[in-house]
Amino acid sequence: MKKNRDYSGLERTPSSLVWLINERSRTRGKLDRCIKLIESLPGDICELMDRLASLDRIIPLHEVQVKASTIEGKRRYTPSPFKGHKLVRTIIACLKQANGKHMSTAMIVYDVANRCGLTVNAKNYKHLKIPVRNTLAKLVAKKSILRHHSLDPADQEEGCWSMPAVND
């Protein structure tokens, strides 16, 4: 692998140029990976289409008649990042600690992830948010927590949640 001095011709390459060289190297690496992926896609697509056609020919031969074209595609299953953690209990503990104050979905995601020992970053935020949001909806249906935002998708507002007031 080449050193920075191989590109600059200097014994000590200035740090600003080192950053530029490294950034170009990373960008070129990403581009090369994307090009390689694109080049392999036509072969993968053809292989999958052949396999699908084979299955379409075999399915009608089964004694139970099923029209193969009516079978829908499935997405791959992705396990929950909170596996092994009691998500409902953790969310309720998080909202109880807020003492009746409203918490946004993002705040709950960060707090729950922290309690479960998970780090939140730009790449995994959505993967962490989906199970939390689904669990919040189930808790609202059970009337365990309160929703303080509109369900209208046109509103595009962040969800807001709290524990119901306890009458002593």
Side-chain angles (χ1 to χ4, degrees), residues 43-57:
D44 293 347
I45 290 171
C46 288
E47 184 180 318
L48 289 171
M49 288 177 73
D50 289 344
R51 183 181 171 114
L52 190 61
S54 297
L55 289 168
D56 286 349
R57 285 190 302 271

Side-chain angles (χ1 to χ4, degrees), residues 1 19 22 27 31-32 44 49 53 56 59 71 76 82-84 86 94 99 102 131 144 146-147 154 162-163 165 168:
M1 188 157 146
W19 183 86
N22 289 338
T27 304
L31 176 63
D32 290 344
D44 293 347
M49 288 177 73
D56 286 349
I59 288 175
I71 301 171
R76 267 180 37 195
F82 298 106
K83 188 173 185 171
K86 306 288 188 235
C94 170
N99 291 326
H102 300 187
S144 299
L146 300 174
R147 179 191 319 258
S162 72
M163 291 297 292
D168 291 327

